């Protein structure tokens, strides 16, 4: 793959207040081209697109879907060519995640998001994905705890235990159980964890029961959800050439029972850091190549799902939000995991 050669303008985001002070990646950072990009979100001239989630169609992987939030307007659903298939208006959803849940009446594709419409009380927004008609159906909107909702992720622990995690700007992580029924879902707060400063991105490794959370100006923490009262364990710290503040979206490439990689959006230098899950060691980093499809900058949310997604993504699909797509718009870029892995010699 080509190596990164295009100098990114430091602090040049068109969005007032959307970018932190940035430095360009070093010349030896690997650049990987995007295969496709989505249509821009509807909000123009503002910090709007934020976080993607991916639903892999098990029957026809080429018909899989990408869900992306516009935190000023609602939730978009795109096909693998980046075409918008539907849109659901929502006031202030920030981060989003998805899981397929087994129920007595069959499988339900559950999507959850952090709702920050009330800046003093976080809300959990739940939806079901109608994959046949390609639309989200609102399921519930539940207030939980205090503070401003920010990050969000779902987890599936043992025996079908569906967990939802809202990360607040104040540093609180709210651990909830979600139970689906024919009438209405129930949401119960199990416990809360605390970090000292503002976190956002989070991801759950369903295999091991480990929750990873990015503290924006510190690094990445892990919480062992199997413990009665998990304590934060340092997974990665800010370090030149590896991870630059702000730490934003997190994603997993799971291999075997416990192995694989953790990917993090290193927003300060517009790159993506890759860590070994088992050892915590930094492995490499990459950027989106500025070519036929433009590069990404000031990336918030990312997502990665392994598996066959058709000929363009035979080993998995990586999606990254682009904070400056030109002409006052934002969107999401799609990359092949096989291409990333080959370029980084993983």
């Amino acid at each position: 793959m080509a190596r990164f050669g295009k100098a990114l303008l430091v602090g040049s985001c068109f969005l007032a207040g959307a970018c932190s002070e940035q430095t360009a990646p070093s010349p030896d950072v690997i650049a990987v081209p995007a295969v496709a990009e989505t249509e821009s979100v509807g909000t123009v001239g503002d910090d709007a697109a934020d976080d993607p989630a991916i639903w892999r169609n098990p029957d026809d992987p080429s018909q899989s879907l990408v869900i992306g939030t516009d935190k000023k307007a609602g939730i978009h659903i795109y096909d693998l060519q980046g075409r918008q298939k539907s849109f659901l208006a929502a006031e202030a959803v920030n981060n989003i995640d998805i899981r397929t849940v087994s129920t007595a009446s069959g499988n339900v594709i559950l999507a959850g998001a952090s709702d920050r419409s009330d800046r003093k009380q976080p809300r959990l927004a739940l939806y079901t994905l109608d994959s046949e008609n390609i639309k989200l159906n609102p399921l519930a909107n539940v207030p939980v705890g205090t503070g401003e909702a920010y990050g969000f992720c779902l987890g599936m622990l043992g025996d079908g235990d569906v967990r939802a995690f809202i990360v607040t700007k104040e540093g609180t992580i709210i651990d909830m159980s979600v139970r689906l029924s024919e009438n209405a879902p129930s949401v119960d707060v199990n416990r809360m964890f605390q970090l000292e400063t503002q976190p956002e991105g989070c991801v759950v490794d369903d295999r091991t029961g480990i929750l990873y959370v990015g503290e924006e100006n510190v690094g990445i923490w892990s919480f062992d959800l199997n413990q009665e009262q998990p304590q934060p364990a340092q997974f990665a710290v800010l370090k030149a050439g590896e991870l630059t503040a702000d730490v934003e979206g997190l994603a997993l490439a799971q291999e075997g029972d416990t192995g694989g990689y953790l990917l993090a959006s290193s927003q300060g230098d517009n790159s993506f850091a890759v860590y070994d899950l088992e050892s915590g060691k930094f492995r490499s980093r990459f950027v989106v190549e500025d070519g036929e499809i433009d590069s990404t900058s000031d990336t918030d949310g990312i997502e990665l799902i392994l598996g066959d997604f058709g000929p363009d993504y035979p080993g998995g699909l990586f999606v990254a939000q682009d904070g400056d797509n030109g002409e006052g718009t934002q969107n999401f870029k799609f990359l092949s995991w096989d291409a990333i892995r080959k370029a980084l010699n993983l």
Side-chain angles (χ1 to χ4, degrees), residues 18-322:
C19 302
S20 55
E21 184 177 350
Q22 296 179 330
T23 58
S26 61
D28 62 347
V29 176
I30 303 297
V32 184
V35 177
E37 63 180 329
T38 68
E39 298 174 14
S40 298
V41 298
T43 301
V44 177
D46 204 350
D47 181 23
D50 196 272
D51 190 49
I54 301 169
W55 175 71
R56 180 180 176 275
N57 186 328
D59 299 319
D60 186 352
S62 66
Q63 298 302 307
S64 299
L65 301 170
V66 174
I67 303 171
T69 61
D70 177 338
K71 59 193 175 189
K72 308 292 183 180
I75 307 172
H76 299 262
I77 300 181
Y78 305 98
D79 63 18
L80 293 188
Q81 289 71 50
R83 298 172 298 212
Q84 179 175 300
K85 306 303 291 184
S86 68
F87 174 76
L88 178 67
E91 184 176 353
V93 291
N94 202 65
N95 284 19
I96 193 163
D97 203 359
I98 193 166
R99 289 290 191 279
T100 298
V101 181
S102 178
T103 71
S105 55
N107 287 340
V108 173
I109 307 169
L110 177 69
S114 53
D115 181 339
R116 59 194 295 199
S117 55
D118 182 344
R119 299 303 170 94
K120 295 183 179 180
Q121 183 170 51
R123 303 184 70 92
L124 169 61
L126 295 174
Y127 310 88
T128 57
L129 172 63
D130 180 345
S131 58
E132 183 175 348
N133 295 300
I134 314 182
K135 66 177 184 176
L136 285 176
N137 296 313
L139 186 62
N141 192 290
V142 182
V144 289
T146 59
E148 182 179 346
Y150 207 37
F152 178 79
C153 52
L154 285 170
M156 288 279 291
L157 304 185
D159 298 324
D161 183 9
V162 182
R163 303 287 273 277
F165 299 87
I166 285 181
V167 178
T168 72
K169 276 194 171 184
E170 293 77 14
T172 304
I173 302 153
I174 306 169
D175 173 6
M176 296 160 283
S177 289
V178 178
R179 296 175 179 85
L180 302 181
S181 68
E182 293 184 0
N183 298 320
S186 64
V187 176
D188 298 306
V189 174
N190 298 316
R191 51 197 175 177
M192 298 185 186
F193 319 134
Q194 190 70 38
L195 293 175
E196 291 186 4
T197 64
Q198 179 174 300
E200 183 178 6
C202 69
V203 65
V204 178
D205 190 334
D206 295 347
R207 304 167 305 168
T208 61
I210 303 296
L211 166 70
Y212 298 91
V213 181
E215 189 174 6
E216 292 191 352
N217 294 311
V218 176
I220 303 170
W221 299 90
S222 66
F223 294 84
D224 186 348
L225 301 175
N226 302 296
Q227 298 177 356
E228 185 174 340
Q229 189 57 43
Q231 297 300 312
Q234 190 83 62
F235 181 84
V237 297
L238 299 183
K239 183 178 180 180
E242 295 183 7
L243 188 64
T244 303
D246 293 343
V247 181
E248 292 288 338
L250 303 179
L252 294 173
Q254 299 164 323
E255 296 183 353
D257 293 334
T258 59
Y261 305 97
L262 174 70
L263 284 71
S265 169
S266 178
Q267 192 180 72
D269 63 2
N270 302 316
S271 71
F272 305 98
V274 182
Y275 296 88
D276 184 270
L277 264 181
E278 292 184 314
S279 68
K281 291 182 178 180
F282 173 78
R283 291 294 303 269
S284 190
R285 61 189 180 129
F286 68 97
V287 296
V288 177
E289 182 178 339
D290 190 30
E292 183 176 345
I293 296 174
D294 63 302
S295 61
T296 60
S297 60
D298 200 50
T299 294
D300 286 320
I302 61 174
E303 182 61 292
L304 170 62
I305 299 295
L306 302 191
D308 176 20
F309 282 83
D312 289 331
Y313 314 96
L317 171 64
F318 175 81
V319 179
Q321 181 259 9
D322 183 6

